[in-house]
Amino acid sequence: MRFLAHLLIALAGAAPASAQVALPAGSTVTVDFAGYAGLGLASVPASGQLDSDTWSLSGLSDGDTSWGLTYASGDFARGASAGGVSTGGVYAFYAAGSADPALGMQPTESDLTPGSATLRVRNDTGATLARVSR
């Protein structure tokens, strides 16, 4: 599977963008997918959607997303699954026995080969980030 995950770290002092994940000084920030149900992206996300001011996706046959727009159908909103899907696109995958979803991408010949998911983060710590962990 050729899937590239990008983490965009905007340096302190850069022009702020709305609704990106902010890293405040002296804090730890955890990004999870609680409440995500594979229902797409929007700048004011409805239940089950990701924030399109924070997340950007590329490499889908329906096109690439742009910051702040709504994508609530097709490849961008394949829904929730326990796995075993063959239709390309973006899903909320649930592991057996788990209530916590993961952002999942199913590649096909025309979807996500290659593709990427970008998380926009703003560094408000006043220092250079030495490490970002998973």
Side-chain angles (χ1 to χ4, degrees):
M1 174 163 110
R2 288 186 281 164
F3 167 75
L4 306 174
H6 298 272
L7 180 62
L8 176 64
I9 306 293
L11 300 176
S18 63
Q20 59 195 331
V21 175
L23 300 175
S27 297
T28 299
V29 175
T30 300
V31 176
D32 65 26
F33 297 98
Y36 177 59
L39 302 179
L41 302 92
S43 63
V44 179
S47 179
Q49 293 181 323
L50 296 175
D51 188 330
S52 65
D53 292 318
T54 303
W55 290 95
S56 175
L57 305 171
S58 70
L60 296 153
S61 62
D62 287 348
D64 298 340
T65 64
S66 295
W67 300 111
L69 298 181
T70 298
Y71 303 89
S73 64
D75 291 340
F76 306 107
R78 293 289 181 210
S81 175
V85 297
S86 59
T87 301
V90 182
Y91 293 83
F93 284 128
Y94 289 85
S98 174
D100 298 323
L103 173 61
M105 299 179 152
Q106 175 61 49
T108 62
E109 193 171 298
S110 61
D111 284 316
L112 303 160
T113 53
S116 67
T118 302
L119 170 63
R120 189 185 329 197
V121 178
R122 185 180 70 237
N123 180 359
D124 288 338
T125 66
T128 301
L129 294 178
R131 182 181 72 178
V132 177
S133 6
R134 60 176 184 110

